[in-house]
Amino acid sequence: MVSRSYSNLLDLTSCGSPAFGFGREKKRLPRVATVAGVLSELDDESNNSVGSDAPSSISQERMIIVGNQLPLKAQRKEENGKWEFTWDEDSLLLQLKDGLGDDVETIYIGCLKEEIDPIEQDDVAQYLLDNFKCVPTFLPPELFTKFYHGFCKQHLWPLFHYMLPLSPDLGGRFDRSLWQAYVSVNKIFADKVMEVINPDEDFVWVHDYHLMVLPTFLRKRFNRARLGFFLHSPFPSSEIYRTLPVRDELLRALLNSDLIGFHTFDYARHFLSCCSRMLGIAYQSKRGYIGLEYYGRTVSIKILPVGIHIGQLESVMNLSETESKVAELRNRFKGQTVMLGVDDMDIFKGISLKLLAMEQLLLQHADKRGKVVLVQIANPARGRGKDVQEVQCETYATVKRINDTFGRPGYTPVILIDTTLQSYERIAYYTIAECCLVTAVRDGMNLIPYEYIICRQGNEKIDGILGINSNNQKKSMLVVSEFIGCSPSLSGAIRVNPWNIDAVAEAMDSALMVAESEKQMRHEKHYRYVSTHDVAYWARSFLQDLERACRDHLRRRCWGIGFGLGFRVIALDPNFRKLSVEHIVSAYKRTKHRAILLDYDSTMVQLGSISTTPNAEAVSILNSLCNDTKNCVFIVSGKERKTLTEWFSSCQKLGLAAEHGYFVRTSHTEEWETCVSVPDFDWKQIAEPVMQLYTETTDGSNIESKESALVWNYEFADRDFGSCQAKELLDHLESVLTNEPVSVKSGPSIVEVKPQGVSKGIVAERILITMQQKGVVPDFVLCIGDDRSDEDMFGVITSARASLSPIADVFPCTVGQKPSKAKYYLEDTSEILRMLQGLANASEQTADRNSSQFPHH
């Protein structure tokens, strides 16, 4: 099936990026063969539809993988100057394909590592699409520099690794132009996705912090896009993250995904904490899955560390070059124990800390001199700048000092390799190393220990070279920083705080002194985990969870709201719709026995209003409705009865229900009654001291004492601490009030204790039954409310068919578009008052008509 959006969105790239496939007619990417031997192609030049054509009988699942870089290597041929492309076997994006299955087609979108001349870009793009199913994103050099070396490497990368820009030397101050470049590049990537996506069928998997706002652009274009995001870096704690000036924009952009993946629970926990503290969105755990309710959509959270491609490593281990290198290294380090470090040359990999620990080891353990060698492979840094230069200078200086101090002819304590190694060379070093050291001060995952474990498992030929019996158990030792993502999964490793040089030196000594049987047991444990949790397992698991997260997409109705990066999609039940004033007025006019139940806060008065008393317009409308003898009108509120009595003293015929239905009064002249019989309120003497204790220890909280209830409010307390205290208070109150006839419930920023059975639903039920008992069977019920307490009323009126006329018109209506038991919604208080005014006008017109037909004599 061909995506119609593909052929007519070719020119949507922006910011100077050359359009993919411009100039001449291009061969489009076919979806499936719809006729044997003929590839389906659509010519949609005149069609602006973004839907897809009729489903094919041979439909194939497709995954669009979007990353900063394509999994390709490129080089110019010297003889003809043409570009030659090959797959980059080390790229994670290419390796994850193994977990998606043969029935899933993959398309890659990303940048090339090499700069392509604009004149060649069109031909290169077509070649990569035809031969690799890759869609290159060409960025102007200046824009790429601002995006990658600017915003990504100067702002996001340091901050996500816990480095604050406290001075211009530490990452630099926030630069708005770099942020704009970041957004522009994400928009270009979104346009590239739009060229190839079939929005109803394709999955899109976005990778890493370079493309964090991409989900917003895709969700804006396709409300039901099936969209996953995986963050490969750490996610910092809220105290660090909240310093970012564009913190809300990035969080909301990520929440436009259906599934967000993290390597560890810590990273996910920090993200959830940021959502709670900055956006007020709490997470829920259901049957083992963590999810955030975001405007009716459930955004799922996935916690699973990535694995390695074992097959690729084993294939390199089988190369003759690897065997030769292993033999060479064995002879070179004969009689010595090799400890290995493999890191990028950047400020977070802790190379200098490792070197200092090695220096300390040789200083404190003279017996290790001449016998223990640290081989440090330092890969070139991915970023650039002053901090990288400082790391290089410190590393070279420390290595020189250690070698000058402890070196002697035939023994070099530290061997620094800062040139790019071939894969087989790196694997050879893994194979001969007795211990692998990772002392990064912060790292998203770090797969070096995993690769080391697989290489130490070896194969028959390598075992022969090393003089190891293949039937014997293999052995390995790991010393890893507790601040890297792979640390939790390596339970047999010696975990260290890399900042504690003495502790790292002792860990290195311990790793060398561990008994052989212990090394074998630790290796076996690690090998079992790494070999079963490879990159294919990770990709397969992510796809399964993405499919689960997107199950209800087509069942729900979606609306896009908000501008720019504040855009989000509201997903609602298909039966949920806006209440039409014409529709309800029409039903109102033809009915004779009406029940109208109205919440007060945020329904009759705007949320956040300075004055919460009813205005003249609201009172006038209520009086008009009450004066119609066919109507039974009630305000059902959580307010105290004294307050409601004062506010609605001019509404003589208005019914009032106070404190969520505990007190009820049918009109101004009637006495207040109770809906539920409560013998006494002695329980308050137990509950209030407990609440007082939590109020004293939770700054910003207070107790609201009602006649029938006690409410602990923590709206103005620290969100996380308040929430934590609320859970403790809930448990505490439930335990001390076990034998009391009360219910303890939590709500938005409150914990409430009230008599059992008290709810707005009880009021609604009582009003309908009372009308029936008077011989007035309701044939029209309108109920409006905005929060969780009003859901009880909605539930009652939609299921109370026994109390209603068989042909009754029932209108449960909530305020705003959100998940609810109500079938209808109105946007805000002004729309509600406008609708109620329409009903009041209908009553007045009927009254005028009746008075003209039956004039008083």
Side-chain angles (χ1 to χ4, degrees):
M1 184 184 304
V2 182
S3 165
R4 287 185 177 162
S5 61
Y6 170 63
S7 59
N8 60 349
L9 290 172
L10 299 180
D11 57 346
L12 283 182
T13 51
S14 59
C15 299
S17 172
F20 173 74
F22 71 89
R24 64 184 192 277
E25 184 63 26
K26 290 294 172 185
K27 178 182 173 186
R28 301 187 186 90
L29 189 66
R31 283 306 310 260
V32 295
T34 51
V35 180
V38 180
L39 289 175
S40 166
E41 293 188 11
L42 287 186
D43 188 2
D44 266 352
E45 301 306 320
S46 61
N47 193 339
N48 294 319
S49 167
V50 294
S52 56
D53 53 334
S56 161
S57 60
I58 325 173
S59 182
Q60 182 184 17
E61 217 169 48
R62 194 167 72 161
M63 173 73 84
I64 299 172
I65 299 170
V66 192
N68 178 44
Q69 287 188 340
L70 288 171
L72 295 172
K73 291 179 179 176
Q75 64 177 40
R76 272 195 190 277
K77 290 182 181 177
E78 290 185 9
E79 59 271 20
N80 56 16
K82 288 188 176 181
W83 284 104
E84 184 177 57
F85 297 92
T86 54
W87 288 115
D88 181 0
E89 300 292 342
D90 292 329
S91 170
L92 176 69
L93 300 190
L94 179 65
Q95 293 172 357
L96 66 81
K97 221 172 135 177
D98 283 11
L100 302 181
D102 296 335
D103 58 333
V104 178
E105 181 188 355
T106 53
I107 294 177
Y108 292 101
I109 295 176
C111 298
L112 288 164
K113 296 186 182 86
E114 290 72 20
E115 192 176 324
I116 308 293
D117 191 289
I119 299 172
E120 301 174 288
Q121 287 175 3
D122 191 39
D123 289 334
V124 166
Q126 192 61 52
Y127 176 80
L128 293 180
L129 178 60
D130 293 343
N131 294 278
F132 294 91
K133 289 186 182 174
C134 287
V135 179
T137 305
F138 298 115
L139 302 176
E142 185 182 345
L143 180 65
F144 177 80
T145 299
K146 283 187 170 184
F147 155 70
Y148 184 76
H149 296 291
F151 193 76
C152 289
K153 286 300 180 183
Q154 279 183 34
H155 291 318
L156 286 184
W157 191 71
L159 191 79
F160 279 25
H161 288 77
Y162 287 72
M163 190 171 103
L164 290 172
L166 298 174
S167 71
D169 291 338
L170 294 171
R173 303 298 187 208
F174 183 79
D175 186 337
R176 183 68 57 174
S177 69
L178 300 183
W179 162 246
Q180 288 165 351
Y182 181 82
V183 173
S184 297
V185 169
N186 275 249
K187 175 66 169 62
I188 293 171
F189 270 83
D191 292 339
K192 288 295 179 185
V193 175
M194 289 174 197
E195 291 177 6
V196 294
I197 191 173
N198 182 346
D200 294 334
E201 294 184 10
D202 294 346
F203 290 98
V204 181
W205 188 355
V206 182
H207 290 265
D208 223 3
Y209 63 92
H210 314 92
L211 302 171
M212 288 174 76
V213 299
L214 178 57
T216 289
F217 291 122
L218 295 179
R219 184 71 63 196
K220 191 170 188 175
R221 191 70 183 86
F222 304 113
N223 289 173
R224 290 189 179 88
R226 304 197 286 181
L227 184 54
F229 180 92
F230 198 94
L231 184 68
H232 293 274
S233 78
F235 196 94
S237 69
S238 61
E239 292 305 304
I240 298 289
Y241 180 79
R242 72 197 307 175
T243 63
L244 188 63
V246 290
R247 61 191 192 184
D248 288 4
E249 289 90 332
L250 290 180
L251 286 179
R252 291 194 184 280
L254 287 180
L255 290 173
N256 275 318
S257 307
D258 294 299
L259 178 66
I260 306 172
F262 300 93
H263 286 306
T264 72
F265 173 69
D266 272 351
Y267 304 160
R269 179 168 57 86
H270 293 155
F271 173 75
L272 294 170
S273 174
C274 288
C275 289
S276 171
R277 284 177 170 272
M278 291 158 218
L279 304 181
I281 302 169
Y283 74 91
Q284 293 178 323
S285 183
K286 294 179 183 175
R287 297 185 179 180
Y289 294 104
I290 300 173
L292 291 152
E293 285 296 322
Y294 188 59
Y295 292 93
R297 292 172 49 247
T298 299
V299 181
S300 298
I301 302 298
K302 174 80 173 169
I303 302 167
L304 184 67
V306 70
I308 59 173
H309 195 292
I310 296 169
Q312 187 207 341
L313 271 180
E314 289 177 341
S315 67
V316 177
M317 287 167 67
N318 290 328
L319 295 175
S320 58
E321 294 97 318
T322 307
E323 294 166 19
S324 302
K325 188 68 178 178
V326 170
E328 176 200 321
L329 294 176
R330 183 203 60 181
N331 295 329
R332 179 179 173 187
F333 295 109
K334 201 165 189 176
Q336 295 177 335
T337 301
V338 176
M339 306 182 85
L340 178 67
V342 182
D343 305 276
D344 291 347
M345 183 76 83
D346 71 46
I347 55 176
F348 297 114
K349 293 302 187 286
I351 294 176
S352 59
L353 298 175
K354 188 186 304 176
L355 296 173
L356 291 173
M358 179 64 179
E359 185 177 38
Q360 190 82 338
L361 176 72
L362 297 176
L363 199 62
Q364 294 180 346
H365 301 275
D367 58 311
K368 298 291 190 292
R369 299 170 194 171
K371 296 179 181 177
V372 177
V373 176
L374 172 63
V375 176
Q376 176 62 55
I377 298 172
N379 304 316
R382 298 178 197 179
R384 61 193 188 195
K386 186 178 174 185
D387 53 352
V388 173
Q389 294 169 5
E390 288 175 353
V391 170
Q392 288 173 332
C393 290
E394 185 181 7
T395 300
Y396 295 143
T398 310
V399 169
K400 185 176 184 304
R401 184 177 72 242
I402 295 172
N403 289 340
D404 287 349
T405 306
F406 301 103
R408 56 177 185 250
Y411 173 62
T412 307
V414 178
I415 297 171
L416 178 65
I417 303 171
D418 58 355
T419 54
T420 304
L421 292 181
Q422 297 293 325
S423 295
Y424 75 87
E425 294 177 292
R426 189 178 79 250
I427 282 173
Y429 277 106
Y430 282 140
T431 306
I432 60 133
E434 284 294 311
C435 178
C436 182
L437 308 172
V438 181
T439 55
V441 296
R442 190 71 60 178
D443 206 348
M445 184 58 195
N446 200 311
L447 295 172
I448 299 301
Y450 287 13
E451 293 181 352
Y452 170 69
I453 296 294
I454 297 300
C455 292
R456 287 291 286 178
Q457 187 68 14
N459 59 34
E460 281 190 26
K461 289 185 178 178
I462 288 178
D463 289 348
I465 294 169
L466 296 176
I468 300 172
N469 187 336
S470 293
N471 296 322
N472 291 347
Q473 277 190 303
K474 305 301 168 64
K475 59 184 181 178
S476 63
M477 281 302 295
L478 284 168
V479 175
V480 300
S481 163
E482 61 193 50
F483 301 119
I484 62 176
C486 67
S487 175
S489 62
L490 297 169
S491 55
I494 301 175
R495 296 195 185 102
V496 293
N497 173 2
W499 299 102
N500 187 338
I501 305 299
D502 291 332
V504 177
E506 286 307 309
M508 293 164 72
D509 184 49
S510 299
L512 298 174
M513 302 296 288
V514 165
E516 296 296 298
S517 59
E518 179 74 13
K519 290 179 182 178
Q520 290 170 354
M521 285 172 58
R522 291 183 187 228
H523 173 81
E524 176 60 28
K525 186 175 189 179
H526 290 155
Y527 181 74
R528 199 163 49 242
Y529 175 84
V530 174
S531 59
T532 54
H533 292 72
D534 61 356
V535 67
Y537 173 85
W538 171 76
R540 188 163 54 247
S541 180
F542 190 89
L543 178 57
Q544 286 170 354
D545 276 16
L546 182 57
E547 287 174 337
R548 181 187 54 80
C550 300
R551 260 194 319 236
D552 294 338
H553 272 25
L554 295 178
R555 195 181 67 79
R556 293 184 173 275
R557 296 165 72 219
C558 296
W559 285 269
I561 62 170
F563 297 100
L565 294 176
F567 176 86
R568 63 261 187 210
V569 165
I570 293 175
L572 301 169
D573 189 276
N575 297 319
F576 188 70
R577 57 187 181 274
K578 189 163 186 175
L579 182 57
S580 159
V581 176
E582 292 77 12
H583 176 49
I584 193 171
V585 168
S586 172
Y588 184 84
K589 286 179 178 178
R590 67 172 178 265
T591 48
K592 298 178 181 178
H593 308 298
R594 312 181 191 112
I596 300 174
L597 314 178
L598 306 171
D599 176 38
Y600 182 73
D601 285 317
S602 302
T603 302
M604 299 299 293
V605 64
Q606 194 76 39
L607 178 68
S609 300
I610 296 174
S611 173
T612 56
T613 57
N615 58 34
E617 180 190 9
V619 170
S620 171
I621 291 171
L622 289 171
N623 275 325
S624 295
L625 292 172
C626 291
N627 289 334
D628 189 329
T629 55
K630 297 176 181 177
N631 294 343
C632 174
V633 186
F634 265 81
I635 292 288
V636 185
S637 172
K639 299 284 186 188
E640 296 176 81
R641 59 177 172 170
K642 179 184 176 185
T643 303
L644 294 179
T645 301
E646 291 174 3
W647 285 357
F648 295 102
S649 57
S650 58
C651 301
Q652 299 292 316
K653 299 177 183 178
L654 178 66
L656 295 174
E659 299 191 14
H660 293 121
Y662 180 73
F663 294 110
V664 179
R665 189 181 73 180
T666 54
S667 70
H668 189 66
T669 56
E670 299 294 325
E671 292 297 318
W672 285 95
E673 299 175 10
T674 57
C675 269
V676 178
S677 175
V678 178
D680 59 61
F681 288 93
D682 292 346
W683 55 266
K684 283 190 175 184
Q685 295 171 13
I686 302 171
E688 193 157 15
V690 175
M691 284 189 174
Q692 192 62 47
L693 176 67
Y694 283 80
T695 304
E696 289 169 3
T697 56
T698 312
D699 190 34
S701 65
N702 62 78
I703 300 172
E704 184 184 350
S705 182
K706 299 180 180 179
E707 286 183 70
S708 68
L710 285 173
V711 181
W712 187 71
N713 189 311
Y714 60 96
E715 181 182 359
F716 301 110
D718 176 89
R719 187 180 294 277
D720 283 352
F721 182 57
S723 177
C724 179
Q725 290 288 79
K727 288 174 185 172
E728 287 292 323
L729 176 59
L730 191 72
D731 288 343
H732 198 156
L733 289 171
E734 283 177 341
S735 65
V736 297
L737 297 171
T738 304
N739 299 319
E740 301 294 331
V742 296
S743 64
V744 185
K745 291 187 177 179
S746 62
S749 300
I750 65 160
V751 174
E752 184 175 30
V753 185
K754 61 183 179 182
Q756 285 178 349
V758 174
S759 74
K760 289 187 176 182
I762 292 290
V763 180
E765 195 173 0
R766 174 172 171 150
I767 292 167
L768 297 180
I769 291 173
T770 303
M771 290 178 70
Q772 189 183 36
Q773 288 171 346
K774 290 181 179 178
V776 180
V777 181
D779 54 6
F780 175 99
V781 183
L782 169 63
C783 179
I784 308 179
D786 78 300
D787 64 22
R788 195 186 303 177
S789 64
D790 300 305
E791 295 294 317
D792 293 331
M793 286 199 292
F794 300 150
V796 166
I797 69 167
T798 51
S799 59
R801 285 295 166 189
S803 310
L804 305 178
S805 164
I807 56 169
D809 290 299
V810 180
F811 298 95
C813 179
T814 190
V815 183
Q817 301 178 40
K818 58 176 180 271
S820 171
K821 291 179 184 176
K823 284 176 62 178
Y824 303 95
Y825 72 90
L826 288 170
E827 290 290 359
D828 52 29
T829 300
S830 61
E831 284 197 0
I832 293 167
L833 292 178
R834 196 177 308 124
M835 183 272 295
L836 293 175
Q837 184 66 65
L839 301 185
N841 292 342
S843 287
E844 289 169 4
Q845 288 167 9
T846 304
D848 291 343
R849 193 161 52 247
N850 290 340
S851 62
S852 63
Q853 289 176 356
F854 306 102
H856 296 288
H857 295 288

